[in-house]
Amino acid sequence: MTAAPLRPALLAAALLAAGSVSAGDAGGAPIEGQASDPCSFYRHEAWGKGLEHYATEVVWACEVVAERRGAGMPLSDRMKAVAFALERYRAALVEANRRGFAHRPGPGDGWREARERGRAALAEETGMLAALEAIRSGF
């Protein structure tokens, strides 16, 4: 399943309104992870992938969930599903990293392509892509 990217303008507006990013932060270097930053893991995963990649959408979704939780706002059912998918996806990536992403490269593929294929499969299996699709029209 290939999901169309979330509307960057919609997410940027939500994040700007929530105060989680400034207008100059878009597309910058990854933020150094701190224990208090619940999205640093996903930022690392998305680094260098570009705006059209689902890993970038995962970061945006994580930031919206974190901002709402930090502000004491209740999460909608769709956002609860996103939060659940984020946890499952992270756990699956951590486990896959422990196993060393033992995916065999296909013809013409190198290690990076095989790893990316494996990560995309985990995003599908854990429900991350479906959760992103569910919030595409709003939160």
Side-chain angles (χ1 to χ4, degrees):
M1 172 179 167
T2 302
L6 291 174
R7 296 182 190 131
L10 173 68
L11 284 169
L15 293 172
L16 283 169
S20 64
V21 298
S22 67
D25 286 341
I31 298 170
E32 290 298 319
Q34 298 175 353
S36 63
D37 180 7
C39 301
S40 63
F41 177 86
Y42 304 108
R43 282 190 190 90
H44 172 74
E45 291 296 315
W47 174 245
K49 299 280 198 269
L51 291 176
E52 299 294 320
H53 197 277
Y54 72 87
T56 303
E57 296 179 66
V58 169
V59 173
W60 293 335
C62 178
E63 288 174 342
V64 171
V65 169
E67 277 298 315
R68 287 179 178 219
R69 283 183 172 160
M73 296 172 63
L75 298 178
S76 68
D77 288 342
R78 290 186 293 173
M79 290 308 292
K80 285 179 186 176
V82 167
F84 180 72
L86 284 166
E87 292 170 15
R88 288 187 63 201
Y89 182 53
R90 180 182 176 138
L93 285 175
V94 168
E95 180 57 30
N97 281 333
R98 285 190 187 129
R99 287 189 319 248
F101 271 102
H103 301 285
R104 286 196 166 130
D109 283 350
W111 177 82
R112 288 182 188 201
E113 292 83 5
R115 182 177 139 179
E116 180 57 31
R117 229 181 19 257
R119 287 173 186 242
L122 290 176
E124 177 73 31
E125 291 168 15
T126 60
M128 192 70 253
L129 295 180
L132 291 172
E133 184 63 33
I135 62 170
R136 216 170 282 299
S137 62
F139 308 119

